[in-house]
Amino acid sequence: MQGIVLGCGPSVGVPSLRWGWGACDPKNPKNQRTRSSFFFRTLQGSWLIDASPDLRYQCLAQGVKKINGVLCTHAHMDHIGGVGDLVAFAVSGPVLFYADSLTCEALKTMLPYAFLGNTQFIQLHPIQGLFYLFDIPVVSFIQNHGTSYSLGYRFPTWAYSTDLVELSEEAFDLLKGIDTWILACLSTLPNKKHAHLERVLTWVERVKPKRTILTHMNSDLDYNTLKDQLPFGVEPGFDGMVLSL
């Protein structure tokens, strides 16, 4: 299974309109971060985790020409702002969209035309726990996102976790045995809604994946600086990063 980090930035991207490049070296292209979204391809289909507002640009940049479905983590705009662009992939039928019931209801309000008659290009699939992408089992699990929650996804050999500040004991049990963990790390500083570097590294030490890729990174995390200080097996992601899963 192949994956591509389409975007590894926070809700404002890097550089941001307010803070610019921050501590990130603008000469390093790996510091240019669009909003977080992830693409992966299986023998049966091509899939996204989240549809960021930068989805059109991301797909053009990485040559993504087919998407069977989307797994959504939550209904914040930096993770669903590109849903309208999915119309380009609804060639032989609606794009499948997996999300919790609250996110499904939010999308119905946000894009009512996407679900109506001849204009339908999204087919909602409310999920809770175990579901299947054709023959691939996936387990969704709840992540604490401060004043709300997001969904993490556990696949047979890897997992994806973004926009979280705490994990339950049940989530840690579910993550046991993964080879690769794509994990959000907003900043070096504590945050009420997002995990910071110190906390993320304690999680990695507990779960012990073979490889951890950091995503959803703010402008105070310069790529080279962060890479040099991370322990073995942990590395910052970058837009366009290709992974074997």
Side-chain angles (χ1 to χ4, degrees):
M1 189 183 300
Q2 183 192 66
I4 304 175
V5 178
L6 296 183
C8 64
S11 61
V12 294
V14 179
S16 72
L17 294 174
R18 181 174 180 180
W19 295 287
W21 290 97
C24 291
D25 180 2
K27 296 178 183 178
N28 187 347
K30 292 181 178 178
N31 280 324
Q32 184 162 331
R33 300 167 181 149
T34 55
R35 271 70 69 90
S36 294
S37 191
F38 188 76
F39 173 81
F40 64 99
R41 184 183 291 112
T42 70
L43 293 176
Q44 294 81 13
S46 299
W47 310 89
L48 286 177
I49 300 181
D50 288 338
S52 89
D54 301 311
L55 183 62
R56 175 183 172 275
Y57 167 80
Q58 292 169 340
C59 290
L60 289 171
Q62 303 305 324
V64 175
K65 298 181 179 180
K66 180 180 180 181
I67 294 174
N68 293 94
V70 180
L71 289 68
C72 188
T73 60
H74 61 307
H76 287 176
M77 190 56 65
D78 54 318
H79 296 266
I80 61 170
V83 169
D85 291 330
L86 296 174
V87 66
F89 300 102
V91 177
S92 57
V95 174
L96 308 177
F97 199 94
Y98 300 89
D100 66 89
S101 57
L102 290 177
T103 298
C104 289
E105 292 303 315
L107 282 176
K108 289 179 183 179
T109 301
M110 175 184 170
L111 292 171
Y113 66 90
F115 310 98
L116 298 176
N118 293 332
T119 65
Q120 181 181 6
F121 62 89
I122 296 173
Q123 185 179 91
L124 294 175
H125 290 266
I127 56 170
Q128 183 177 353
L130 175 66
F131 64 102
Y132 288 85
L133 301 180
F134 298 136
D135 64 342
I136 297 176
V138 186
V139 181
S140 66
F141 57 95
I142 299 294
Q143 303 175 142
N144 187 329
H145 189 19
T147 56
S148 60
Y149 70 90
S150 65
L151 292 183
Y153 292 101
R154 163 73 198 255
F155 299 82
T157 61
W158 61 284
Y160 189 94
S161 295
T162 191
D163 287 54
L164 70 162
V165 69
E166 291 181 357
L167 284 169
S168 66
E169 291 300 316
E170 291 81 3
F172 280 116
D173 287 341
L174 186 65
L175 289 164
K176 289 179 179 177
I178 58 172
D179 292 330
T180 302
W181 195 6
I182 300 144
L183 175 59
C185 176
L186 182 68
S187 172
T188 57
L189 302 175
N191 185 284
K192 293 181 179 180
K193 297 182 180 180
H194 297 270
H196 64 297
L197 182 58
E198 182 180 358
R199 178 169 294 183
V200 163
L201 292 180
T202 64
W203 292 348
V204 171
E205 179 62 26
R206 180 171 180 180
V207 174
K208 298 186 185 307
K210 295 178 182 177
R211 189 182 189 190
T212 301
I213 309 298
L214 302 184
T215 190
H216 206 278
M217 294 176 289
N218 217 334
S219 59
D220 69 341
L221 294 174
D222 175 75
Y223 179 86
N224 284 336
T225 302
L226 181 59
K227 185 178 181 181
D228 289 343
Q229 72 183 66
L230 289 173
F232 178 79
V234 184
E235 57 191 299
F238 56 88
D239 288 20
M241 185 181 197
V242 179
L243 304 173
S244 293
L245 301 168

